[in-house]
Amino acid sequence: MRIAFMGSPDFAVPALRGLHAAGHEIAVVYCQPPRPAGRGQKEMPCPVHRAALALGLPVRTPARLRRHVAEHEAFAALDLDAAVVAAYGLILPRPMLEAPRRGCLNIHASLLPRWRGAAPIQAAILAGDAESGVTIMQMEEGLDTGPMLLKGSVPIGPRTTTPDLHDALAAMGARLVLQALEQNPPAEPQPEAGATYAPKLSKADAPIDWTLPALVLDRRVRALNPWPGTSFTCQAEAIRVLAAEPAEGAGLPGTMLDDAGVVACGEGALRLLRLQRPGRGSLAVEDFLRGYPLPAGTVLG
């Protein structure tokens, strides 16, 4: 089958590789333009761009699509059977959605209609959902509102992190989109009942609010790492919390209850397990506290 692949982050790479390995003719790969990264701010291609080059595939990186008529025409001229889209990062305008004979299939990392939007993996953990999954969706102009072709689910355990769930869903999405292309299953409209939205995350989500229950903060630590992360302030430094777990204890929210990393929350307590100072490596809490003590009674911001 002659297809275009459209994706940018690590989540999309297994699908690109799977389509290539299955023998589909990938006419072109679309992804986000290279961005400055690292200390030198050198422009770096995104993960899908790098994977496409390694496979010898042509790559296009338009900065915009909505009013880019020349790009619409170039896309239509590819004479595609289908396009596969996975976390591309740009909204596809109607001319591009309608150009492939079988339309555009999206690999969405949630069990639609739950968690439409930008951050469905993190949202599922933050909400305490018991499961997440992948939906292969026929794209339309609405935000993740198109009819569903296939679904697969995975459980979310009490210690599941965003990287855990991300990798499981990326692998599942690669399998399901191959199945959808092969079987061409009937499309099922999404019910509007139960639709929820996962807004884009930002650095403003990182600071820890110790007045929240420990169970909620535990989910935030598991959901928001590696980005935007979770952090507290102490001695004018933003200390990242890379791992934590609920613990027994009670006290004024944000107060260290012992010398070993247990912090009082609005309800219960949180045991800090792995921390990181700015510009330093991450450390297990016992190693961190040897060089940066947080004795009982210390109040964290």
Side-chain angles (χ1 to χ4, degrees):
M1 189 173 294
R2 183 172 170 83
I3 65 173
F5 186 84
M6 313 178 87
S8 297
D10 287 315
F11 177 81
V13 171
L16 173 61
R17 290 176 175 158
L19 290 163
H20 183 266
H24 289 286
E25 180 188 359
I26 301 177
V28 67
V29 174
Y30 278 79
C31 53
Q32 289 282 302
R35 301 272 196 264
R39 291 185 178 180
Q41 290 295 285
K42 179 182 177 181
E43 285 201 342
M44 296 289 292
C46 68
V48 165
H49 193 156
R50 298 195 297 271
L53 293 178
L55 294 171
L57 300 173
V59 177
R60 291 184 182 174
T61 58
R64 60 186 179 86
L65 291 176
R66 183 165 290 180
R67 294 180 179 86
H68 200 329
V69 176
E71 197 64 59
H72 303 174
E73 294 172 348
F75 189 75
L78 293 170
D79 190 32
L80 301 169
D81 293 306
V84 172
V85 184
Y88 175 34
L90 290 179
I91 295 174
L92 301 190
R94 180 184 290 272
M96 296 183 75
L97 290 171
E98 295 178 346
R101 282 177 283 279
R102 285 179 55 181
C104 299
L105 278 62
N106 180 243
I107 304 171
H108 186 74
S110 82
L111 296 172
L112 290 170
R114 187 156 177 80
W115 304 128
R116 298 170 178 171
I121 294 175
Q122 295 90 338
I125 296 175
L126 286 170
D129 290 356
E131 64 175 358
S132 182
V134 167
T135 305
I136 307 298
M137 176 189 68
Q138 192 82 48
M139 294 179 69
E140 58 182 28
E141 288 186 280
L143 178 62
D144 300 328
T145 57
M148 304 175 294
L149 302 175
L150 286 174
K151 280 187 177 183
S153 63
V154 297
I156 299 177
R159 307 312 314 147
T160 298
T161 65
T162 281
D164 297 334
L165 190 54
H166 170 281
D167 292 353
L169 297 185
M172 175 178 284
R175 294 192 300 270
L176 287 180
V177 78
L178 286 171
Q179 185 179 338
L181 290 172
E182 179 182 349
Q183 298 177 356
N184 195 20
E188 175 188 347
Q190 288 189 45
E192 281 304 312
T196 53
Y197 289 86
K200 187 175 181 179
L201 298 170
S202 73
K203 291 181 179 179
D205 295 305
I208 292 175
D209 178 358
W210 295 109
T211 65
L212 293 173
L215 290 177
V216 172
L217 293 180
D218 169 57
R219 295 200 298 264
R220 291 189 70 81
V221 172
R222 290 186 286 115
L224 300 184
N225 282 303
W227 196 90
T230 49
S231 61
F232 61 84
T233 303
C234 187
Q235 300 177 27
E237 282 191 338
I239 309 296
R240 291 194 67 180
V241 179
L242 302 177
E245 64 183 8
E248 296 292 329
L252 183 68
T255 303
M256 299 298 301
L257 297 178
D258 61 17
D259 298 341
V262 176
V263 192
C265 303
E267 182 179 311
L270 195 70
R271 185 185 309 279
L272 307 176
L273 297 176
R274 181 163 288 273
L275 302 173
Q276 183 177 23
R277 293 177 65 185
R280 309 285 185 91
S282 69
L283 294 171
V285 68
E286 56 269 22
D287 297 323
F288 182 93
L289 294 175
R290 275 197 285 269
Y292 196 105
L294 297 172
T298 302
V299 178
L300 309 180

